[in-house]
Amino acid sequence: MAEVTAAPDAAGPDRQVPAGTGSGEGNDREPEYTERPMIPVELLTAHPGNVREDKQADEAFCRSVATAGIIVPLEITVDPDGGYRVVDGNIRLDAARKVGLDAVPYFFSADTADDEALQYLHMLISSRFRRDLSVQEEAAALFAASKVMTKTEIRKATGLSAAEVKAGIRAGSLSARAKELAAGMDYEWTLEELALLKPFEDDPEAMEVIARNRYSPLKYTVQRLLDEREAKAHRAKVVAELEEAGVTVVVDRPAGAVELHQLMDGEEAMTAEGHAGCPGAIAWVPPWGDAVPRFYCTDPARHGHMVAGTDTAGPSGPAAAVPDALPGPASGTERKIVIEGNKAWEAAGKVRQAWLEEFLARKTAPKNVAGTIARFVTEQLVTMPEPLRRALGGVRHSGMFAAFGGPTADTVAKSTLPGLWMIALAPIAAAYEREITGDGERRHTWREDKYSPCSREDAGAWLRFVAEIGAKHGYEPSPIERAVADGVPYRGDDPADVLIGGNDTEQPVDRAAQECDEHLTEAGKQGLQHAVPAAGAPAVPSSAHEAVPPRQEAEPEPQAADETAGEIAEVEDGESPDKGAQAKGRIEAA
């Protein structure tokens, strides 16, 4: 029989009591501690009546045991058939065997040797009153350990993944106030989710948004907040550059002022540089989108500017400042939903693509979704929907395909059969994501009233597939994705919130506001981007020019003549969703 340190017997183990702990003269001596007793694994038998249904040590626990060994001693007693039976610690024994440990720490339970009923009660008692660390407490432990250990050392000792260790350390560094708010939320946190709060630990308003979140996944809510923060910072930078260049920037959209792309500078289209010296020159930076500045003249007639395509000057005086109000089909609520939807669609795309990147990094398809992936890939290749016909051919040259693993012929040659389905999914995923996210008409995919390269129906099929495999692998769709997947209108992340302060009745919409919502014409864009500043005029910052992104043209679907006319120019985030009214306004303006 293998050697046992402090071998147990039926009467109990031969325990070594630290010196100085008994009675008599030894009490004033320093205690001398010995190593904990160890017993060879080969002498141990798992309890035949172990009440746990899951008796196997998982991979993460085995990784930890392989590095740090067994920390908590096993409770053992004698086995009627010889050797020793494990009363408490059967999963630890399983891990020890799986990683090849020779011996494990133990303590001998003499009182259970002849009392099997008591053995079962010990299983109950040791588990029932053992309180696991909360996620916040785990984060605190990882953060404290990180002060003296590397992330790699922590990962090996705990069996946690690199991502979990990184997230735990980040979560452990949260401010006391952020930890308090997180603890007070009715939410079951993970280390990764707790770490998402770090950028907002000193932002009470953002934390309040997260706390009252009821309808949206946490990652999506956090992405919305990050996008909003980035947009505000970008807009502030654009405004600061304009003001530094001497441009008057107004806070609100200028009612009655005329945008420069509608005016002429002699024989040429009016540009911001050419108009810089005019007393009526102002700029307005929309609070949505890419914060592209718009340039206006407050009184074209007074300052001698002609309206493009006519021989007349623009309106002057009070008439210019107070435009006629016309009844419009767009209510305040509908306009708000359009702005909300554009932001939501962009944020949802970022979160979804980050999850797809992680999911597609797997070598093989997970068993519980392998059939779903195989059917979807086969169906897509057989039916070849429009988004795939248009994008699949060139998708391998895209950054999206590279982010999703960028598989090559060599990857295919080295893959196992189950892995081929994941490889085949990568270009399909990249094609759909390129077609439903981005700038230009792609941002309209979520809408029911606008053309987009990928129809809402095809986008819905893709999102339903992602939601199906994601439900078993950590992805939860946002409200706007669910709306597209279900084929219903998007009414906001929280429909009740969208209607706060809104009014679904018909509201007057002024002509100037509708004109301001239209994109610059191509002539206006060219004038804005390529004009040379007038002598002595302040230069417009480069960011004001470069902020207009190049438009990626997509092949339009066949439409009726009036619909095509209505779609010639894109409409900004705050537009009216009614295409007929927009088309009429554009034709009249032309």
Side-chain angles (χ1 to χ4, degrees):
M1 181 178 288
E3 181 181 354
V4 181
T5 304
D9 55 36
D14 295 330
R15 297 174 182 171
Q16 298 182 0
V17 180
T21 59
S23 59
E25 297 179 354
N27 285 340
D28 58 350
R29 293 171 54 189
E30 289 293 327
E32 297 177 4
Y33 296 100
T34 61
E35 293 185 6
R36 58 185 178 170
M38 304 288 287
I39 185 169
V41 172
E42 65 186 50
L43 298 182
L44 299 176
T45 301
H47 199 290
N50 184 11
V51 296
R52 286 189 181 275
E53 294 183 2
D54 184 1
K55 302 175 176 62
Q56 301 294 314
D58 62 26
E59 183 180 349
F61 184 50
C62 288
R63 288 198 303 266
S64 175
V65 169
T67 301
I70 299 294
I71 297 175
V72 179
L74 283 64
E75 178 186 356
I76 67 173
T77 192
V78 294
D79 192 304
D81 297 328
Y84 302 95
R85 171 185 294 184
V86 175
V87 177
D88 180 58
N90 287 278
I91 291 180
R92 278 166 274 163
L93 175 63
D94 181 61
R97 285 175 171 164
K98 286 179 176 177
V99 303
L101 294 187
D102 295 327
V104 294
Y106 76 94
F107 70 90
F108 188 81
S109 177
D111 54 349
T112 63
D114 299 319
D115 191 343
E116 190 162 305
L118 189 58
Q119 293 175 18
Y120 287 109
L121 292 182
H122 276 211
M123 294 181 197
L124 169 67
I125 294 168
S126 62
S127 175
R128 185 178 182 83
F129 300 105
R130 181 186 299 155
R131 186 170 66 88
D132 293 333
L133 293 178
S134 68
V135 172
Q136 288 87 342
E137 290 167 338
E138 289 181 356
L142 290 169
F143 179 66
S146 70
K147 295 180 180 180
V148 293
M149 298 176 67
T150 66
K151 293 184 178 69
T152 300
E153 290 172 333
I154 294 174
R155 177 178 58 80
K156 290 181 177 179
T158 60
L160 297 173
S161 67
E164 287 174 317
V165 171
K166 181 179 179 181
I169 294 172
R170 185 174 174 83
S173 68
L174 287 171
S175 66
R177 178 57 178 161
K179 292 177 181 177
E180 181 182 349
L181 290 173
M185 297 180 191
D186 184 17
Y187 191 81
E188 294 184 5
W189 297 96
T190 65
L191 288 173
E192 183 183 13
E193 290 171 334
L194 199 60
L196 294 175
L197 303 181
K198 184 64 177 176
F200 313 107
E201 60 182 344
D202 298 320
D203 187 343
E205 292 184 5
M207 290 292 289
E208 176 62 27
V209 171
I210 295 172
R212 69 169 183 262
N213 171 53
R214 295 170 292 167
Y215 295 90
S216 305
L218 178 65
K219 288 184 179 179
Y220 165 77
T221 301
V222 167
Q223 188 62 57
R224 287 290 305 269
L225 290 168
L226 290 173
D227 287 350
E228 186 69 23
R229 178 180 290 184
E230 182 181 355
K232 287 181 178 180
H234 175 62
R235 184 177 185 277
K237 181 174 181 290
V238 171
V239 170
E241 289 178 347
L242 288 169
E243 291 177 339
E244 185 178 356
V247 179
T248 300
V249 181
V250 295
V251 175
D252 298 316
R253 178 162 39 192
V258 178
E259 198 161 359
L260 296 192
H261 73 275
Q262 298 178 345
L263 302 176
M264 298 296 294
D265 184 9
E267 299 296 325
E268 303 292 333
M270 183 71 74
T271 66
E273 289 83 353
H275 187 252
C278 175
I282 58 173
W284 174 65
V285 182
W288 57 73
D290 295 325
V292 179
R294 296 178 177 180
F295 300 92
Y296 299 82
C297 183
T298 56
D299 198 336
R302 178 178 298 174
H303 302 304
H305 306 315
M306 306 298 292
V307 176
T310 72
D311 295 327
T312 61
S316 178
V322 185
D324 294 335
L326 297 176
S331 70
T333 297
E334 294 303 322
R335 291 169 63 85
K336 183 176 181 180
I337 288 175
V338 171
I339 297 172
E340 174 85 359
N342 284 339
K343 295 177 180 179
W345 189 245
E346 180 180 2
K350 292 178 181 178
V351 176
R352 185 178 62 253
Q353 289 162 17
W355 178 83
L356 283 168
E357 182 176 345
E358 181 179 342
F359 182 79
L360 290 170
R362 298 168 180 258
K363 298 295 183 183
T364 59
K367 292 182 180 180
N368 58 357
V369 294
T372 302
I373 293 174
R375 282 190 296 272
F376 180 80
V377 169
T378 303
E379 178 188 287
Q380 292 295 302
L381 295 179
V382 169
T383 61
M384 196 58 67
E386 177 63 25
L388 294 191
R389 290 202 300 271
R390 181 171 45 248
L392 205 53
V395 75
R396 67 188 182 93
H397 303 295
S398 68
M400 190 75 71
F401 182 67
F404 291 167
T408 63
D410 187 53
T411 311
V412 174
K414 295 178 180 178
S415 174
T416 61
L417 182 60
L420 292 176
W421 289 114
M422 294 294 279
I423 294 174
L425 178 59
I428 293 175
Y432 269 111
E433 290 300 323
R434 284 193 70 201
E435 290 297 290
I436 68 176
T437 58
D439 57 8
E441 291 169 326
R442 289 174 174 82
R443 64 161 48 178
H444 297 155
T445 304
W446 67 273
R447 299 180 61 173
E448 297 180 298
D449 62 333
K450 298 286 287 186
Y451 165 77
S452 61
C454 178
S455 70
R456 204 173 192 267
E457 180 180 359
D458 287 334
W462 166 244
L463 294 177
R464 285 193 297 275
F465 165 72
V466 174
E468 184 175 357
I469 63 174
K472 300 177 181 178
H473 294 279
Y475 182 75
E476 181 183 358
S478 65
I480 196 168
E481 291 170 297
R482 292 198 295 267
V484 174
D486 294 341
V488 299
Y490 171 71
R491 302 299 296 175
D493 288 350
D494 181 349
D497 286 347
V498 171
L499 299 179
I500 292 176
N503 188 345
D504 272 332
T505 59
E506 299 298 313
Q507 299 292 325
V509 179
D510 62 64
R511 286 194 182 95
Q514 285 190 328
E515 290 175 352
C516 288
D517 276 338
E518 295 180 0
H519 275 305
L520 298 175
T521 62
E522 289 302 316
K525 289 180 182 178
Q526 293 173 2
L528 187 66
Q529 294 176 347
H530 303 297
V532 178
V540 178
S542 59
S543 64
H545 304 164
E546 297 169 355
V548 181
R551 174 170 173 167
Q552 299 179 359
E553 297 295 340
E555 181 181 351
E557 295 178 343
Q559 300 182 19
D562 58 341
E563 292 178 339
T564 303
E567 295 300 321
I568 291 176
E570 276 190 2
V571 180
E572 192 48 270
D573 302 348
E575 68 189 342
S576 161
D578 189 288
K579 292 190 288 187
Q582 294 166 353
K584 180 179 178 182
R586 291 169 186 158
I587 294 172
E588 290 177 350

